Amino acid sequence: MESYRKNFRAFLAFFTPPFVWLVLFFFVPLGIIWLYSFGETEGLTKIRLTWTLENYKRLLEPEIISLFWRSVWLSVISTAVCIVVSYPIAMVIATAKPKWKPWLLLVIILPFWTNLLIRTYALLNILGTRGRLNDLLHWLWSAGDRALSLIGLGDYHLLGERFMPVKFLGEPVGVMIGLVYVYLPFAVLPIYASLERLDRSYLEASLDLGASQWRTFRQILLPLSSGGINTATVITFIPMLGSFLIPDLLGRGQVDMIANVIERQFKSGNDWPFGSALSLFLLYITFILLALQSFHAMRQRKREEARG
Amino acid sequence: MAREKREPAGPFDYSRKLSLRLVFFLGSIFLYAPIVVLVIFSFNNSRRGGNVIWKGFTTKYYEKAFHNDALMEAFINSLAIAFISTLIAVILGALTAVVLWRFRFPLKPVFEGMVSLPIVIPEICMGVSLAVFFSSFGLYVPRDMPFPLNLTNIIIAHITFSFPFAAMVIRTRLNSFNREMEEAAKDLGATEFQVFRDILLPHMKPGLVAGALLAFTLSLDDFVITFFTSGPNTVTFPIKVYSMVRFSVTPEINAASTILILITLLVTFLAMRFQSFEEPRQ
């Protein structure tokens, strides 16, 4: 690496275009909504900057608090499910034969390259009351019912008189299925990376010293891969919290998350200042999470250095 | 058998455990089943809401999708946006990657953070801020601008979110560059520009291609940011599909989606080819 002073003109030639682009089309727009969040609407499209805090005060309205609360718990549960499911998946990939690894990874990554809208739409087809998932449940119900009849319990209708389709669309569970479905690949990759890097002699030592597989997993593998788990948590939680399309299509307006309300302020509600305040709030949460994550990563690196 | 059971499984053998394999298998089914069902039902011969009951094989909805002018226009818009924004995103990404890789300068971590910010912030925030930016600065493109200039706003937005990704990919490639080649060229009298053109650029090429393919798929995929930066006359493929989905669920959407999935698969395949070209097997 060379100092920028040594070849200042070359430095400027490389540095200026991306810097100017980023400032003009990323930071200036963010700056504008930051200003707007202190403004008031005047008429239909005019916004006057009055440095009012009214928009931020409205974040404390019970309606908005319950919106935040719903967004957070939907994202927390979905993230947890993602992590729990992706950990074993990452374990399988990380310990597979080298010949198989790229293919197993591809299986997980490929959906991630597919259009988000199409994947959400695909789920929409599956999750309907007459969709494939309910078909599957119906089949399972019939099988269960038949099994009960076989052992002579048929008359009690333990599984109900008739199959009742489960409602997924417009319910929190449908949105959660969508969130897990879309962001699962996000969670697998960092966990896989951390398992791949791991020094396996620790596991061997633990097993050699007589610890059980479970204890080795809990006390050695899990702590050693906690960096990957943290990264996975943050990079799935952040986009989940800000997701728009999934609650929009699968929640059917019944299960709004923050982004849906933001969208309404800008598209139909026409309350740009309040929409800006909501967006900034989402942005601040993102920053805090990222800061916590990098702080944690830094501490972990230090601990590893100390360990030698 | 009994003796085998008592022996503890090796520490690397997670992939041989049936329970873990089952999780992998079920996880894959979960990821693929909806897409497979979507593709299958794009061939369903049913007029209304085609996705409920199978009524025989047909390709007529592909024909219908191809003859749907609004859909095709949206598709062409999407491709034009993807091509143009990819071109500029790769240039900006390459410049960013070279700056970060080559120079030491004050506040470098700040610049690094600035570049990675578009990758991490929620899409909705970026979409909203760009929408406000374009409207409040009067950058709204006149309605009758010729194609593809009418897409300028969307193209700018797409460049902004995709070039940091391209920069990341290209920078990874630069890390394997042998600095001595550059020094040798300079010793032999090459100018700064010649070094860049004849030595650095050829080395970057696989990274540039990989970055371009990534930017291309990102652009083709994007819904949220486009949703906020597009006008009534500048509809992209995802936006069009979205409005169709809101209206009703038809086999035509399945057919159109299947076509887009195929395109994405093709691009992914190309990207993988270049990736394996870039990193020779060890």
Side-chain angles (χ1 to χ4, degrees):
Chain A
M1 227 176 273
E2 57 190 273
S3 167
Y4 74 113
R5 275 200 221 95
K6 208 178 115 198
N7 203 334
F8 192 60
R9 278 185 35 206
F11 170 74
L12 274 190
F14 286 112
F15 178 77
T16 315
F19 181 74
V20 169
W21 187 282
L22 208 56
V23 168
L24 187 59
F25 295 121
F26 186 74
F27 288 99
V28 168
L30 283 183
I32 295 174
I33 62 165
W34 184 75
L35 287 177
Y36 272 14
S37 71
F38 299 104
E40 281 172 62
T41 34
E42 226 174 43
L44 260 179
T45 49
K46 265 230 145 75
I47 287 150
R48 206 156 56 99
L49 183 60
T50 52
W51 296 107
T52 170
L53 288 174
E54 205 45 47
N55 299 311
Y56 286 97
K57 269 190 207 143
R58 279 181 62 192
L59 296 179
L60 296 173
E61 281 173 11
E63 220 176 290
I64 300 299
I65 297 221
S66 77
L67 169 78
F68 285 142
W69 177 235
R70 180 167 54 237
S71 307
V72 168
W73 73 257
L74 282 172
S75 308
V76 165
I77 296 176
S78 309
T79 303
V81 173
C82 270
I83 301 291
V84 169
V85 174
S86 55
Y87 202 95
I89 291 179
M91 274 163 97
V92 170
I93 304 176
T95 57
K97 289 202 181 84
K99 188 176 71 180
W100 282 98
K101 252 181 221 181
W103 295 105
L104 295 178
L105 262 181
L106 184 67
V107 166
I108 301 300
I109 300 173
L110 204 55
F112 167 78
W113 284 74
T114 315
N115 195 305
L116 170 68
L117 175 65
I118 291 180
R119 278 191 294 159
T120 313
Y121 169 66
L123 266 188
L124 193 63
N125 289 337
I126 299 269
L127 296 180
T129 36
R130 293 174 70 191
R132 301 302 112 188
L133 189 55
N134 267 310
D135 283 357
L136 181 71
L137 292 175
H138 194 168
W139 182 80
L140 287 174
W141 178 88
S142 314
D145 202 46
R146 230 172 296 135
L148 285 177
S149 303
L150 267 179
I151 55 172
L153 292 168
D155 298 335
Y156 299 107
H157 296 297
L158 289 178
L159 295 172
E161 292 265 337
R162 252 179 320 121
F163 171 71
M164 298 293 276
V166 183
K167 195 167 167 251
F168 293 107
L169 299 176
E171 299 287 333
V173 63
V175 175
M176 279 193 279
I177 293 175
L179 291 172
V180 173
Y181 176 66
V182 166
Y183 294 109
L184 189 64
F186 277 59
V188 174
L189 292 182
I191 297 178
Y192 162 75
S194 75
L195 289 176
E196 182 73 17
R197 270 201 311 266
L198 196 112
D199 185 352
R200 285 172 188 180
S201 54
Y202 287 114
L203 303 183
E204 274 171 359
S206 165
L207 291 171
D208 283 350
L209 292 171
S212 66
Q213 281 275 351
W214 171 243
R215 197 167 161 205
T216 305
F217 171 75
R218 221 177 25 152
Q219 294 193 334
I220 311 287
L221 191 59
L222 221 45
L224 282 179
S225 56
S226 69
I229 296 175
N230 277 310
T231 313
T233 306
V234 171
I235 70 164
T236 46
F237 186 78
I238 289 175
M240 276 182 187
L241 194 67
S243 67
F244 165 74
L245 205 52
I246 300 161
D248 184 65
L249 287 180
L250 303 179
R252 302 216 146 149
Q254 311 293 312
V255 196
D256 276 344
M257 288 175 72
I258 300 173
N260 304 96
V261 177
I262 295 177
E263 186 254 357
R264 228 163 288 144
Q265 305 309 318
F266 282 91
K267 290 255 169 176
S268 53
N270 214 8
D271 191 350
W272 290 20
F274 181 53
S276 301
L278 270 173
S279 310
L280 281 166
F281 182 75
L282 186 59
L283 205 59
Y284 294 147
I285 298 180
T286 308
F287 288 155
I288 292 170
L289 288 172
L290 286 172
L292 284 176
Q293 202 259 334
S294 59
F295 177 72
H296 184 94
M298 225 160 62
R299 227 178 40 186
Q300 184 145 14
R301 212 172 306 134
K302 270 200 190 129
R303 213 182 297 145
E304 263 162 34
E305 273 162 21
R307 211 187 284 141
Chain B
M1 280 305 276
R3 237 174 88 208
E4 237 180 82
K5 255 188 190 161
R6 245 182 289 127
E7 262 178 287
F12 316 145
D13 287 349
Y14 294 118
S15 69
R16 294 227 309 259
K17 281 207 166 168
L18 200 64
S19 54
L20 291 179
R21 276 186 174 184
L22 195 68
V23 175
F24 185 90
F25 179 71
L26 290 177
S28 314
I29 298 237
F30 173 62
L31 287 177
Y32 285 90
I35 298 175
V36 171
V37 170
L38 175 120
V39 173
I40 291 173
F41 276 79
S42 72
F43 295 105
N44 187 17
N45 190 6
S46 151
R47 211 177 309 151
R48 195 190 58 78
N51 298 304
V52 177
I53 300 158
W54 178 257
K55 288 189 171 165
F57 181 87
T58 179
T59 52
K60 74 176 173 202
Y61 290 103
Y62 285 86
E63 271 169 54
K64 232 180 150 182
F66 277 112
H67 288 119
N68 183 337
D69 287 340
L71 192 64
M72 278 298 119
E73 194 198 316
F75 195 65
I76 289 165
N77 278 347
S78 270
L79 286 180
I81 292 165
F83 274 114
I84 301 170
S85 70
T86 298
L87 189 72
I88 302 174
V90 167
I91 294 171
L92 289 175
L95 294 175
T96 311
V98 171
V99 163
L100 289 175
W101 164 77
R102 183 173 158 184
F103 296 103
R104 238 181 303 115
F105 55 95
L107 296 179
K108 186 174 175 178
V110 175
F111 180 64
E112 253 182 300
M114 280 170 72
V115 174
S116 56
L117 214 50
I119 298 178
V120 294
I121 77 162
E123 274 186 300
I124 184 99
C125 296
M126 220 170 134
V128 161
S129 67
L130 279 165
V132 170
F133 173 76
F134 286 132
S135 73
S136 62
F137 270 74
L139 280 177
Y140 250 117
V141 186
R143 283 180 159 221
D144 45 357
M145 280 287 253
F147 174 86
L149 285 176
N150 57 348
L151 304 169
T152 308
N153 284 350
I154 307 178
I155 292 172
I156 288 175
H158 283 208
I159 294 166
T160 310
F161 72 70
S162 61
F163 95 81
F165 282 97
M168 229 167 49
V169 174
I170 298 167
R171 196 180 172 192
T172 315
R173 171 69 190 171
L174 277 173
N175 285 337
S176 63
F177 181 70
N178 186 354
R179 267 336 238 309
E180 285 160 8
M181 299 239 292
E182 191 188 340
E183 279 159 28
K186 276 191 183 157
D187 285 349
L188 293 170
T191 63
E192 190 68 40
F193 181 69
Q194 279 174 325
V195 169
F196 178 72
R197 192 191 56 193
D198 297 335
I199 305 209
L200 196 57
L201 211 54
H203 177 83
M204 278 162 73
K205 209 170 142 198
L208 294 176
V209 174
L213 291 166
L214 182 60
F216 191 82
T217 34
L218 284 174
S219 166
L220 215 53
D221 274 6
D222 181 71
F223 171 76
V224 173
I225 293 169
T226 317
F227 187 54
F228 283 98
T229 47
S230 64
N233 294 325
T234 51
V235 171
T236 67
F237 189 77
I239 304 286
K240 180 70 194 161
V241 171
Y242 177 75
S243 64
M244 287 166 83
V245 170
R246 299 226 84 179
F247 188 61
S248 73
V249 172
T250 66
E252 203 181 334
I253 307 176
N254 290 23
S257 304
T258 305
I259 297 166
L260 195 65
I261 291 174
L262 281 178
I263 294 177
T264 318
L265 278 180
L266 190 74
V267 175
T268 312
F269 174 73
L270 288 175
M272 304 272 299
R273 283 291 297 271
F274 273 98
Q275 213 81 38
S276 59
F277 173 66
E278 187 186 340
E279 297 156 13
R281 298 254 161 84
Q282 287 149 3

